[in-house]
Amino acid sequence: MTQQVEIGRGKTGRRAYSLDEIGLVPSRRTRDPEEVSIAWQIDAYRFELPVVVAPMDSVVSPATAIEIGRLGGLAPLDLEGLWTRYEDPLPLLEECAALDQEAATRRLQEIYAAPIQEELIGRRIEEIRASGVTAAVRLSPQRTVQYHKAVIDAGVDIFVIRGTTVSAEHVSGRAEPLNLKQFIYELDVPVIVGGCATHTAALHLMRTGAAGVLVGFGGGASHTTRNVLGVAVPMATAISDVAAARRDYMDESGGRYVHVIADGGMGTSGDIAKAIACGADAVMVGSPLARAAEAPGHGFHWGSEAHHPDLPRGRRVEFGTVGTLEQILHGPSSVADGSMNLMGALKRTMASTGYSDIKEFQRVEVVVAPIQR
């Protein structure tokens, strides 16, 4: 039964839970972590890790996209970032990392004001494809109509349409909105779309034909959406609601499965495990991999919201460096805070609670637990 809390005489709200507020319950059975599979598959593409890297310049370059693919994950390149605005963005990425905190937002806006060069879109995709890994890219809903042909012509494998909030029914009197259902129907590649945070919004996105839906907004480490717009839904509740929409859509569609990808607010291996326990098939993370030695942000992390020309809703955050991409994903770990060997920890969590694969682990018992610091 839905728990409504009285906020005041004129307003009630449903009690929602963050990942910090839940815990996983061991079952009667345990397993050897080496016998646990954390692989998942979307459309024809199988990945050994349930990790999609957030398409942010501080984390994903063509080189890191290739390395993440080699390690078993997926890393979409942001086609509205520096790699499609500049022939060689490496000096600018170094500058972004060296900026004084007070001047960071204004300078980021200036750097990202350069126009997107369409020929660079094809070149970056071809560079990733040539390595043999799955090539994925991201565009915002606002830019998808303009640039999608260049993306498809370059032979992309997976198309990500990602914004702070993406709906199947965007209303605008200024421009013709993106018709997601028609757009996805006309493409020959799987499309991942989001974010969303409610059962209703997710169901509408699933009906567009999307292969995957991103869950969450305003919860990432570099976002200030909650402060600027007041928009935020705790992730444990959001993931669970969207997973319920997936189940309902399967019944409605006669068995079509849409993947749920938790997006944002997961900084540790424990967060990743709890997101999957709530119903996610995979997670989209940025900050844990911004700490990698290979990360283009040199220990700093920022997203497209940080340089919005009119209303920035993000900040550049310093995380420092803890190890290589391989160490962060596969270990070994030299710290005890859940920021390294993310996948080894996930396997151990699944083994400790008695589950052998991702779909089984989504059935694990959870409890509401007080936040412990």
Side-chain angles (χ1 to χ4, degrees):
M1 183 175 177
T2 301
Q3 179 185 356
Q4 293 287 334
V5 178
E6 183 181 293
I7 297 168
R9 288 180 181 269
K11 200 75 170 178
T12 60
R14 183 161 65 109
R15 177 68 168 95
Y17 297 94
S18 67
L19 294 172
D20 282 344
E21 294 176 279
I22 67 167
L24 309 182
V25 180
S27 68
R28 63 181 177 84
R29 180 186 292 115
T30 56
R31 297 182 182 274
D32 186 328
E34 294 305 311
E35 296 177 6
V36 169
S37 170
I38 56 174
W40 72 299
Q41 183 162 329
I42 184 165
D43 205 86
Y45 302 98
R46 175 185 167 92
F47 302 96
E48 296 306 313
L49 310 180
V51 171
V52 183
V53 183
M56 304 161 89
D57 278 346
S58 54
V59 186
V60 182
S61 65
T64 56
I66 292 167
E67 178 66 3
I68 292 291
R70 186 185 70 80
L71 293 170
L74 178 68
L77 182 71
D78 183 10
L79 295 184
E80 298 173 35
L82 298 180
W83 289 94
T84 56
R85 297 176 192 266
Y86 298 93
E87 189 80 30
D88 179 14
L90 291 177
L92 289 168
L93 286 162
E94 291 179 8
E95 181 186 347
C96 290
L99 289 172
D100 177 84
Q101 194 60 40
E102 294 299 315
T105 297
R106 183 179 297 276
R107 181 58 181 144
L108 285 172
Q109 288 174 317
E110 293 171 353
I111 291 172
Y112 281 88
I116 294 170
Q117 301 179 49
E118 197 162 317
E119 65 273 15
L120 287 177
I121 291 177
R123 200 185 307 173
R124 303 308 184 197
I125 294 171
E126 288 165 10
E127 184 178 344
I128 297 169
R129 279 178 54 84
S131 72
V133 305
T134 302
V137 297
R138 172 263 177 187
L139 283 171
S140 66
Q142 295 84 359
R143 305 270 190 149
T144 295
V145 172
Q146 183 178 0
Y147 294 115
H148 77 275
K149 189 175 186 305
V151 172
I152 299 302
D153 288 348
V156 77
D157 296 312
I158 296 176
F159 199 151
V160 180
I161 302 174
R162 181 180 187 250
T164 304
T165 308
V166 177
S167 75
E169 299 180 16
H170 180 66
V171 178
S172 174
R174 295 183 301 167
E176 183 68 26
L178 172 66
N179 184 326
L180 272 175
K181 189 168 187 176
Q182 180 182 345
F183 177 80
I184 292 173
Y185 177 77
E186 293 174 353
L187 293 181
D188 287 330
V189 301
V191 177
I192 297 171
V193 62
C196 67
T198 67
H199 178 280
T200 301
L203 198 54
H204 280 277
L205 289 178
M206 291 172 185
R207 288 169 179 160
T208 66
V213 171
L214 299 171
V215 185
F217 48 78
S222 65
H223 287 215
T224 58
T225 302
R226 180 170 189 153
N227 294 338
V228 177
L229 300 183
V231 175
V233 180
M235 281 296 282
T237 295
I239 296 166
S240 180
D241 283 351
V242 175
R246 175 183 60 203
R247 179 195 62 215
D248 293 344
Y249 178 68
M250 282 187 70
D251 292 340
E252 173 188 302
S253 64
R256 183 173 182 271
Y257 190 91
V258 179
H259 291 82
V260 172
I261 303 169
D263 179 8
M266 293 161 289
T268 66
S269 52
D271 293 334
I272 292 171
K274 288 187 280 188
I276 294 173
C278 287
D281 298 291
V283 297
M284 179 173 275
V285 294
S287 59
L289 298 172
R291 297 181 171 94
E294 304 97 318
H298 303 279
F300 285 83
H301 187 43
W302 67 90
S304 58
E305 299 83 4
H307 52 78
H308 192 282
D310 302 318
L311 190 64
R313 302 181 302 281
R315 59 180 177 265
R316 190 197 56 153
V317 181
E318 183 175 8
F319 284 112
T321 301
V322 296
T324 65
L325 284 169
E326 185 163 8
Q327 289 171 328
I328 290 170
L329 288 172
H330 292 299
S333 173
S334 58
V335 295
D337 60 2
S339 64
M340 296 183 73
N341 196 4
L342 303 178
M343 297 298 99
L346 176 60
K347 283 186 174 182
R348 190 166 294 274
T349 300
M350 292 169 62
S352 299
T353 52
Y355 296 92
S356 60
D357 60 40
I358 294 290
K359 293 309 299 178
E360 279 193 2
F361 184 55
Q362 290 171 346
R363 301 200 300 266
V364 68
E365 181 183 353
V366 302
V367 293
V368 176
I371 299 175
Q372 297 181 353
R373 298 296 182 191

